[in-house]
């Protein structure tokens, strides 16, 4: 049985025919006249936010002690996703910038939420960010 098709999630099986795992994707959509560092992107703002976080890495107090730990937080809005990753297929620039800033020291974190039929939202755990 093939996994369900969805534009905001992807399938991962480790490349070796392992079990199906739904992965949340960011950012998805189409690049529509948005540019970041001269390249077409789905979300210029998302890329700018990552660079802004990177600029905070070495901020400190008057004594030079580092006081800031920048974190990019993804909120996975589906309880059936086991992880999140940058959508290289839709926006390779965002995926590249995310990898760069994480390598530079920005922490990555993803939390999953689940929704009730009544429209209530609840924390449903931390999931890995695949960079």
């Amino acid at each position: 049985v093939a996994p369900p098709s969805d534009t905001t999630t992807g399938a991962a099986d480790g490349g070796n025919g392992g079990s199906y795992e739904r992965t949340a994707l960011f950012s998805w959509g189409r690049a529509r006249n948005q540019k970041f560092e001269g390249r077409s992107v789905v979300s210029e703002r998302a890329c700018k936010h990552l660079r802004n976080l990177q600029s905070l890495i070495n901020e400190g107090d008057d004594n030079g002690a580092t006081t800031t730990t920048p974190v990019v937080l993804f909120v996975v809005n589906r309880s059936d996703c086991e992880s999140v990753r940058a959508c290289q297929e839709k926006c390779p620039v965002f995926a590249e910038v995310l990898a760069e800033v994480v390598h530079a020291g920005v922490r990555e974190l993803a939390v999953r939420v689940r929704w009730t039929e009544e429209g209530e939202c609840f924390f449903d755990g931390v999931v890995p960010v695949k960079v």
Side-chain angles (χ1 to χ4, degrees):
V1 175
S5 175
D6 191 311
T7 59
T8 60
T9 61
D13 67 4
N16 61 6
S19 63
Y20 169 77
E21 177 184 288
R22 188 176 293 271
T23 301
L25 304 176
F26 186 89
S27 62
W28 65 277
R30 291 184 213 146
R32 295 186 183 174
N33 300 323
Q34 293 189 54
K35 301 270 187 196
F36 180 74
E37 297 176 352
R39 296 164 56 190
S40 292
V41 293
V42 173
S43 175
E44 177 187 13
R45 185 174 65 173
C47 294
K48 284 181 177 179
H49 285 318
L50 291 175
R51 286 286 190 234
N52 187 25
L53 288 170
Q54 184 179 15
S55 74
L56 298 174
I57 291 172
N58 294 322
E59 285 198 7
D61 63 16
D62 292 337
N63 298 321
T66 300
T67 59
T68 304
T69 303
V71 177
V72 56
L73 173 67
F74 296 94
V75 178
V76 178
N77 202 24
R78 295 180 58 134
S79 60
D80 60 346
C81 291
E82 299 299 324
S83 61
V84 65
R85 70 171 176 86
C87 188
Q88 174 78 30
E89 300 84 353
K90 294 289 184 178
C91 191
V93 176
F94 178 82
E96 189 179 293
V97 174
L98 177 63
E100 288 173 13
V101 303
V102 167
H103 179 74
V106 173
R107 305 271 318 264
E108 75 278 7
L109 175 66
V111 296
R112 181 177 54 212
V113 296
R114 66 177 169 79
W115 293 86
T116 67
E117 289 184 19
E118 294 78 28
E120 296 176 304
C121 182
F122 294 93
F123 172 76
D124 193 33
V126 174
V127 297
V129 178
K130 296 180 177 180
V131 180

